[in-house]
Amino acid sequence: MTLLAVERIKLFSTRSPYWCTALALVLGVGLTAIIAASTENGQLSIGVTQFGSSQLALAVVLVMSALAVTTEYRFSTIRATFLAVPNRTSALVAKTVVVAFIAGVLGEIIAFASWGMAKLLSPASDLAINTGPEWRHVAGVGLLYAVGAVLAIAVGILVRQTAGAVAILLVWNMLLEGLIGIIPKAGVKIQAWLPFQNANHFLALPSGADAGEQVTAGIDFKLSQWGSLGYFAGIAIALLVVALIVAKRRDA
């Protein structure tokens, strides 16, 4: 518990979490407000309310999580941390737990604030959360952010430089996995096993009564939507384990 408290204090002693939190809220809730205000009253759907939270706000959370690690390497405060806590794994795991928890809470706030904003601006729209898929689509944002934070921290530990870690995460999430889909024949098959594509699949709503939960955005996923979340989490944890091993073997 002491390590968790120390990591919480260290995290909030810098400005980046505050700026990133504010930016994520603006992008997530603000984009929903713009869409709701420009859509005819009564025409909004549950899926539209989370457009900003599942894309742009997630990118900001990934950056915030990476900064929690790379900032320490940049200013060499990680050396003091490792001197105080010789067990590097314990220190880095504590940091991961704190950042993932904060990211998860932030995700829930953004998701339900976006939903509430949509209801406020479009009261005639049917935005009641009644079914399991609808609850997963909204409440699942926090789970997605928490897992994404673990993955971002792992990248931060491996790369150690802010610019490099941020570039990798943003290109990976927002560009690379989408571009793979244009590879003839094999692209869509590869996408079915990419981490962020599975993350999107987890949040996706069925497009029709007979659509099921396996096909999203033209990709034939082999896992259920909860299975996709587990797969995404497995990749994040595996990458974190690799990062912890590397951190133990190299100089701070």
Side-chain angles (χ1 to χ4, degrees):
M1 294 300 293
T2 301
L3 278 177
L4 295 177
V6 169
E7 291 300 332
R8 175 183 56 80
I9 293 170
K10 285 199 298 182
L11 179 65
F12 287 104
S13 65
T14 61
R15 295 179 181 179
S16 58
Y18 299 100
W19 283 108
C20 289
T21 297
L23 182 57
L25 284 167
V26 169
L27 290 175
V29 182
L31 187 56
T32 298
I34 293 172
I35 294 174
S38 59
T39 302
E40 185 177 350
N41 194 10
Q43 300 300 311
L44 279 183
S45 65
I46 290 287
V48 175
T49 65
Q50 302 305 311
F51 181 77
S53 62
S54 62
Q55 296 294 329
L56 297 178
L58 173 61
V60 176
V61 170
L62 293 175
V63 171
M64 178 187 73
S65 303
L67 286 173
V69 177
T70 59
T71 300
E72 285 212 62
Y73 278 105
R74 177 185 177 187
F75 294 105
S76 298
T77 56
I78 196 72
R79 295 179 181 176
T81 298
F82 290 158
L83 286 173
V85 185
N87 188 337
R88 297 184 178 186
T89 298
S90 297
L92 293 174
V93 168
K95 182 185 293 293
T96 303
V97 170
V98 170
V99 176
F101 176 77
I102 293 171
V105 172
L106 178 59
E108 296 300 326
I109 292 173
I110 293 174
F112 282 97
S114 298
W115 173 77
M117 180 66 70
K119 283 186 68 69
L120 179 65
L121 296 177
S122 185
S125 297
D126 182 13
L127 297 176
I129 306 176
N130 297 317
T131 66
E134 289 172 345
W135 275 108
R136 186 189 64 247
H137 184 69
V138 179
V141 172
L143 293 175
L144 184 64
Y145 281 22
V147 176
V150 174
L151 187 147
I153 289 173
V155 172
I157 295 172
L158 289 170
V159 178
R160 300 200 291 185
Q161 295 181 346
T162 298
V166 169
I168 290 172
L169 289 167
L170 293 184
V171 171
W172 183 4
N173 175 35
M174 305 183 74
L175 184 63
L176 181 60
E177 290 195 2
L179 288 176
I180 288 177
I182 67 177
I183 299 175
K185 297 182 180 180
V188 176
K189 294 180 180 179
I190 295 173
Q191 281 183 317
W193 297 104
L194 297 178
F196 285 105
Q197 293 294 329
N198 276 273
N200 292 332
H201 180 228
F202 166 66
L203 291 182
L205 288 169
S207 57
D210 299 324
E213 296 188 350
Q214 301 301 309
V215 179
T216 303
I219 304 172
D220 184 13
F221 289 95
K222 305 304 179 183
L223 301 172
S224 68
Q225 290 181 278
W226 284 101
S228 287
L229 177 65
Y231 178 74
F232 183 44
I235 290 177
I237 293 172
L239 191 61
L240 179 63
V241 170
V242 172
L244 293 175
I245 293 173
V246 171
K248 289 179 65 175
R249 293 183 176 181
R250 68 185 179 188
D251 294 335

